[in-house]
Amino acid sequence: MENGRMRKLGEGKTEFLKSNTFLMACAIVLVLIVGAIVSDSFIAVFNLSRLVRQASIMGFLAIGMTFVIAGGNGGIDLSVGATLALSGMLAISMQSNLMTTTDLTKDYYGIESPVVVIFIVCIAAGLIVGYLNGAACAYLKVSPFIVTLCMTNVVRGCIMVYTSGNQFSGVRDDFKTVANTFVGDVVPVTFIILIIVAVAAYIMMQKSSYGRKLFAVGANINAASISGIKTSRIQISTYMIAGALAAIGGVLLTSFSMSADPQAGDGYELDAIQAVLIGGTPMSGGKGSVAGTICGLMFIYLLKNLLKQLDINTYIQQMIVAVLIMVVVLLQQRDQIKLERGK
């Protein structure tokens, strides 16, 4: 019995050492070492703490995208960037009764609200967007790519109608401190919030019946349905989670920048997908790792920051990240083929 327990521990250790999470953690350490050698300012507390704060906002979108992609069946959410922008506009519209904009010829009115109410309203908006996405995918059987692409245009259109393309600026001090506070002048509060959300997401995905159902739906939706899993509810829930987390990201971005831009979040969905893929969640679904996603996200931000400090052209940075993603996807496909042959 003792031998069996030791064997299981050994197998678990071997599996972890082969996981994307471990590989990404090693990659992060490698980037930090290289950065420390080639640039004195790279590992400076000021640089790393600000980098982590920026990455944390993207982290909310990446965690939500992990749920969507792990749910399989072509799951993808291209509307998270637009949801972030919507949340940001709602957040700044609840700062005061009269808002400051780049359009001096027109008055824009808001509703001054407490910070807690701002979060509740914005998260509710994200949940609604997510529900509409999920319902269209689950009940109408429309491709997630098409549904979320259309939702992006709808949400962006609503924002443009309301703002006329103008930026809003000016937030209250109590709201500004939410994303601009550091614990001990080192750890940003946004990162602490992200870790709390990540732990909750990890428990949901890896330690609960919901996570088992999610992976079952992602692996084979027909088999999951036959086994009694309410597959439509699971699919919808993933998009609602993504919408809610994107909304939180929008609130924190507005607090951080002290402004709201109708074009905020443009392209963020692609960055979130990159982090998810590099973190080890395959586009085919059926499995996923929140820890891997966070590690993948931090690796990307550290790598980009290092390349920037080395004065590497921005377009070359994009090429490097793109090639890296392609390599990761190819390795995932190779592992999937080996697994299928093993069966």
Side-chain angles (χ1 to χ4, degrees):
M1 187 173 181
E2 186 66 26
N3 290 336
R5 188 182 297 113
M6 293 298 294
R7 191 183 307 113
K8 288 183 179 180
L9 288 173
E11 291 174 355
K13 182 179 179 180
T14 302
E15 184 177 347
F16 172 74
L17 292 176
K18 292 182 178 180
S19 67
N20 272 72
T21 303
F22 177 74
L23 294 177
M24 283 296 102
C26 292
I28 289 173
V29 173
L30 179 61
V31 172
L32 289 172
I33 293 173
V34 173
I37 295 173
V38 300
S39 174
D40 294 334
S41 60
F42 178 72
I43 59 171
V45 173
F46 180 85
N47 180 58
L48 292 180
S49 62
R50 270 59 186 177
L51 182 148
V52 168
R53 179 175 61 175
Q54 293 175 357
S56 297
I57 295 174
M58 178 61 67
F60 293 99
L61 278 68
I63 292 174
M65 192 70 73
T66 303
F67 278 88
V68 173
I69 293 178
N73 305 289
I76 195 171
D77 191 348
L78 301 178
S79 68
V80 291
T83 303
L84 178 143
L86 173 64
S87 173
M89 280 299 168
L90 288 173
I92 206 164
S93 298
M94 300 172 75
Q95 297 298 314
S96 63
N97 295 325
L98 183 62
M99 295 174 290
T100 303
T101 75
T102 53
D103 184 1
L104 302 179
T105 63
K106 182 179 179 181
D107 291 332
Y108 289 85
Y109 298 96
I111 303 175
E112 186 172 349
S113 306
V115 173
V116 174
V117 175
I118 293 174
F119 270 97
I120 292 174
V121 170
C122 291
I123 291 174
L127 288 170
I128 292 172
V129 173
Y131 177 80
L132 294 174
N133 281 332
C137 296
Y139 295 135
L140 302 181
K141 307 301 180 184
V142 184
S143 165
F145 181 89
I146 300 299
V147 169
T148 57
L149 181 62
C150 291
M151 182 59 73
T152 298
N153 292 325
V154 170
V155 173
R156 292 279 185 194
C158 290
I159 294 172
M160 295 302 291
V161 168
Y162 172 63
T163 64
S164 299
N166 296 304
Q167 294 182 357
F168 291 2
S169 61
V171 298
R172 303 192 310 265
D173 288 339
D174 61 336
F175 182 75
K176 180 175 65 175
T177 57
V178 174
N180 288 285
T181 302
F182 291 79
V183 177
D185 292 329
V186 176
V187 182
V189 169
T190 52
F191 182 67
I192 295 175
I193 298 173
L194 175 66
I195 293 301
I196 293 172
V197 171
V199 170
Y202 171 81
I203 293 172
M204 283 182 63
M205 186 172 284
Q206 306 292 345
K207 303 295 182 179
S208 71
S209 60
Y210 172 81
R212 291 189 289 272
K213 292 176 182 177
L214 172 66
F215 291 151
V217 171
N220 191 323
I221 190 170
N222 294 325
S225 180
I226 293 173
S227 67
I229 297 175
K230 298 184 183 301
T231 57
S232 295
R233 290 185 181 180
I234 296 296
Q235 284 183 287
I236 293 173
S237 70
T238 62
Y239 288 94
M240 292 181 70
I241 291 171
L245 292 180
I248 294 175
V251 175
L252 294 176
L253 179 62
T254 302
S255 172
F256 164 63
S257 63
M258 294 175 283
S259 64
D261 189 333
Q263 298 299 326
D266 187 28
Y268 278 27
E269 60 277 1
L270 300 181
D271 291 338
I273 293 171
Q274 289 177 359
V276 174
L277 291 179
I278 291 179
T281 301
M283 285 299 296
S284 57
K287 63 179 181 178
S289 170
V290 173
T293 294
I294 297 299
C295 287
L297 176 72
M298 292 303 172
F299 171 72
I300 291 174
Y301 269 76
L302 284 169
L303 180 61
K304 286 183 175 180
N305 186 265
L306 176 59
L307 294 175
K308 182 179 180 180
Q309 295 216 14
L310 294 175
D311 291 328
I312 303 296
N313 186 284
T314 303
Y315 302 114
I316 296 178
Q317 294 179 30
Q318 295 176 350
M319 291 169 57
I320 293 174
V321 175
V323 170
L324 180 63
I325 293 172
M326 180 61 69
V327 170
V328 170
V329 172
L330 290 174
L331 290 175
Q332 289 177 353
Q333 289 182 343
R334 185 195 64 180
D335 293 340
Q336 185 64 30
I337 292 173
K338 286 183 178 180
L339 182 63
E340 292 177 353
R341 287 177 178 175
K343 293 179 179 179

